[in-house]
Amino acid sequence: MIQETAMSKDDKEAQNEFTYKALFTKYRRVTFMGLFIAVIQQFCGLNAIMVFSNLIFVAGLSDPDNDSTPQILTTLVGAFNVIFTLLSLWVVPRFRQKTLLIFGMIMMGLTLLIYAILGYAVDSDTLGAKVMLLVWVFPFAVSVGALAFAIIAEILPDSGTSLAFFINWMSGFLVVQFFLPIANSIEFH
């Protein structure tokens, strides 16, 4: 039993080959793909929606102090995220990862385009525009939300995985730090 779990000398030497230097020389293509996936997962915007959903949903309301719509929609975003993440446990094993990533990115783009059209062209306080953010959670949860960490762990060695996860956390930090200043500079409403 112990012999099965212990690494052989060859395994240890092979693992030592994956230094940070090797990540950016010999394995740079795979490393950059893993780092790109880590950044994209955060820059898709779920953290901004989760953190600032009340502000997003309050925008355009005629009487935000007496309207419970933002709180209800914020609760629904969290509930939808949990439900769709659990649904991804069924969806992910049935489709190829590449297919799910492409499907998810296209669907996220389409839902955000519809959100922008409804919010800008029709009226910024339409419930339909705000509901599109709830719909957006589904393609995120079954694609990049569910697959990013699995793909990173599959394609990178431990040192690369830890670097990608660090980049993922830093990207999330940047999204949360800069969403409000960017939204205010473009007069988000």
Side-chain angles (χ1 to χ4, degrees), residues 31-71:
T31 300
F32 285 120
M33 182 57 68
L35 298 179
F36 179 74
I37 291 170
V39 169
I40 286 298
Q41 186 202 33
Q42 293 300 322
F43 281 13
C44 283
L46 183 67
N47 281 346
I49 292 171
M50 296 296 262
V51 173
F52 299 109
S53 58
N54 263 355
L55 293 173
I56 294 168
F57 294 136
V58 144
L61 293 178
S62 56
D63 188 12
D65 293 332
N66 295 324
D67 196 343
S68 62
T69 304
Q71 290 80 14

Side-chain angles (χ1 to χ4, degrees), residues 92 95-106 142-144 147 151 154:
V92 168
F95 298 96
R96 293 181 54 221
Q97 292 175 345
K98 183 177 178 180
T99 303
L100 283 174
L101 285 175
I102 292 170
F103 164 79
M105 293 293 187
I106 290 170
V142 298
S143 64
V144 73
L147 294 173
I151 291 171
E154 286 176 9

Side-chain angles (χ1 to χ4, degrees), residues 151-167:
I151 291 171
I152 290 168
E154 286 176 9
I155 66 173
L156 294 176
D158 291 346
S159 57
T161 301
S162 63
L163 178 63
F165 289 172
F166 172 75
I167 295 296

Side-chain angles (χ1 to χ4, degrees), residues 118-133:
L118 289 174
Y120 182 76
V122 179
D123 191 5
S124 63
D125 67 348
T126 59
L127 186 60
K130 296 176 184 343
V131 168
M132 288 312 297
L133 288 180

